[in-house]
Amino acid sequence: MKRYFGLLFLMAILVASLGASAQADTLRVATEAGFMPFEFVDPDTNQLVGFDMDLIRAIGEVLEMDVTIANVNWDGLIPGLLNNHYDVIIAGMTITEERAESVLFSTPYFESVQTVVIRQDTEDIAALEDLAGKIAAVQISTTGDFAAEDVPGIRSIARFNTVSEAMQAVINRAAHAAVVDLPVAEAYLAANPSAPLRHLGPAAENEFYGIAGRRQNPELMERINEALAQLRADGTYDAIHETWFGAQE
Ligand code: GLN
């Protein structure tokens, strides 16, 4: 009997340690796949694809970790991270002081900027400030939302869960303009050539995307930063950039 319990005990330890190592060898990632070309669902394969998806999978390879990616609502990303539903977020997420109070950001991996998307027939909006007296459409709690909030005299802000809903609001004349990340506006216009929209180019200060992790796990972020540096040094970063944005000038 004693020996039997000893065996059970050993097996329990074995199972527990296997479980622990499986956990440690998996990088649980969350994104919000409505942000082409950074993360979106390939309609043909149903897979999550994009610049961020390639980058985080390459980081997983360097770290010798399996990568699982969950597709989550934008405003659920940080709460889910803090509740340990996943280890990191990669979602074209801009490094901001306020977010950095709750999450730990990697070194910047992409430089971006806000733009203003208007209907092609709109003539009285040429800059962010021209949204005074106007209705802006944004994705909720994004840097586009914050930039619109900062426009003196803005009439109102229509907040949506996704970028494409914000774009649709401009198409439908429910809003005068959308404030969104420039590379995403460009990809949207390229993918929807019949949308009667145009954008104003860079319309605010530059911003930088970072991978977000839990503040309690600085070791993981250190390893991710090392992997990022390696991918920049060995040309992988540039290859991924070329895949989604074409050759660099
Ligand atoms: N870069 C913007 C932000 O961080 C938008 C990100 C997104 O919508 N995925 O707020």
Side-chain angles (χ1 to χ4, degrees), residues 32 35 74 91-94 99 139 141-143 181 207 209:
E32 185 262 316
F35 210 60
W74 170 256
M93 182 175 279
T94 300
R99 288 174 184 157
Q139 186 181 21
S141 298
T142 58
T143 44
D181 295 29
E207 44 191 80
Y209 297 165

